[in-house]
Amino acid sequence: MTHDDDTTRDAPDTDLPPFSVNVAQTRDITNEHLRALLDAFRRGGVEPLVFGDGNKPEAAVIPFAAFVRLMKHDHADHVRDESAFQAELSRRIADSDDARARGEDSSTLITSDEDLLAWAETVGEPFASMIEDGLRAPDEKAERDDG
Amino acid sequence: MANGYPRRPDIDFEIPKAVHEDLVTLAERARRNPEDVQARNLLQVASNALVALKKGHPGTHALEYMPSYPDLSDCRTMYVGADPNRKPSHRIVFRDVPPEAPGQRTRREVVALGERDRGRAYHVAGQRLGRPTGVRLADLAAAPEPIAERPFSPTYSSRLPEASGHDDRQPVD
């Protein structure tokens, strides 16, 4: 059967071409099959045992070294995503620190409704009108949005 | 939901430039794309939430220390969502700083407005407060140098995940 792998969908240049596998029926697999498979792995074989019910590939038995390699690959992806995210955070913090070092106030102190409205106007529309409406509205409006 | 946290109607309110910039971006998106209902709704509920926090709303709940996040145990969170039929997608992290002298007012700092997904709002809040992941506030205060200026190092387990009910797994290099 032909199986389209989608685990690398987001990784350009690493997409697997469609490939075929022989699906063993779960009920047909015996201890002897597993023993023979292990022997093949010990001899350096890497052909997996793919099995499932109804000719659907649902699981694969692979060499343990391949499993560890897969785990490392997934972990590397995770670290790469997190590193990009942390780099963006660090950039924003650095920008904020630079602004502070230049004497630019990095935050706005609001002591009244008028201050809040003036600050909202620096954000722009439609936000300013929303803040103005919110200041006029009864307090329970915000309670409704509280998840 | 606020777990007994008092409503504080008489506070000063502080909003960082970074939150201002996030809102400017969102407002521009809503302005340029009037059909972008999600952006407009998010802007609307964010404005409602900020007005409420300014009026002393206690937020949704206090934050607790979790090892996989910066310690924000002195902060609170408020849930914000653009779609009332789904779980709130965003969080506003804030903290109330007590007055330093008699006669002064409590200062409520909005620390971050961000996505709930993968705890991003909380990681952003931690960065803005100079708090590394997994370090308790007490340890941070006792640190001999500013930990926040060290390279940021997310913590990950280098071990394979442990299956429940199986304690006979072998370590893997």
Side-chain angles (χ1 to χ4, degrees), chain A residues 28-75:
Chain A
D28 294 340
I29 299 172
T30 66
N31 284 343
E32 290 307 311
H33 286 121
L34 294 175
R35 194 171 301 282
L37 184 68
L38 185 56
D39 284 342
F41 288 165
R42 284 171 176 162
R43 290 193 302 272
V46 293
E47 186 73 22
L49 168 63
V50 179
F51 65 98
D53 295 337
N55 202 33
K56 181 181 176 187
E58 296 177 289
V61 181
I62 60 174
F64 187 67
F67 174 72
V68 171
R69 211 161 52 239
L70 180 64
M71 296 285 286
K72 286 181 176 176
H73 181 272
D74 287 352
H75 180 67

Side-chain angles (χ1 to χ4, degrees), chain A residues 64 67-68 71-72 75 78-83 85-87 89-90 92-93 95-97 99-100 102 104-116 119-139 141-147, chain B residues 1 7 11-24 27-28 30-31 40-41 43-55 57-60 78-81 88 105 107 118-121 123-124 127-129 133 152 154 156-161 172-173:
Chain A
F64 187 67
F67 174 72
V68 171
M71 296 285 286
K72 286 181 176 176
H75 180 67
H78 176 67
V79 169
R80 199 158 38 241
D81 287 350
E82 280 299 320
S83 295
F85 174 54
Q86 297 298 346
L89 285 183
S90 298
R92 293 176 64 157
I93 293 300
D95 288 349
S96 176
D97 288 346
R100 195 175 294 123
R102 289 194 302 269
E104 298 171 8
D105 192 2
S106 62
S107 62
T108 303
L109 188 64
I110 293 165
T111 60
S112 66
D113 288 356
E114 290 74 23
D115 285 353
L116 181 59
W119 170 81
E121 285 170 352
T122 67
V123 173
E125 291 295 348
F127 184 74
S129 295
M130 291 172 175
I131 288 287
E132 187 172 14
D133 291 346
L135 288 170
R136 286 181 185 152
D139 287 353
K141 183 176 180 183
E143 302 279 0
R144 269 203 316 273
D145 298 327
D146 184 356
Chain B
M1 195 173 283
R7 178 175 283 273
I11 54 172
D12 288 338
F13 199 50
E14 188 174 329
I15 303 179
K17 190 175 181 182
V19 170
H20 179 272
E21 289 173 351
D22 289 344
L23 288 167
V24 167
E28 283 178 355
R31 201 165 51 239
R40 188 177 181 88
N41 285 351
L43 198 62
Q44 180 68 67
V45 292
S47 73
N48 293 348
L50 288 173
V51 168
L53 289 172
K54 164 70 178 65
K55 289 181 176 179
H57 191 288
T60 307
M78 188 173 206
Y79 293 178
V80 177
R105 302 205 296 183
R107 179 167 47 88
R118 299 171 73 191
R120 293 196 168 206
H123 285 297
V124 169
Q127 280 280 6
R128 287 181 183 161
L129 293 173
T133 296
F152 201 84
Y156 301 108
S157 169
S158 59
R159 296 180 304 155
L160 292 173
V172 177
D173 293 328

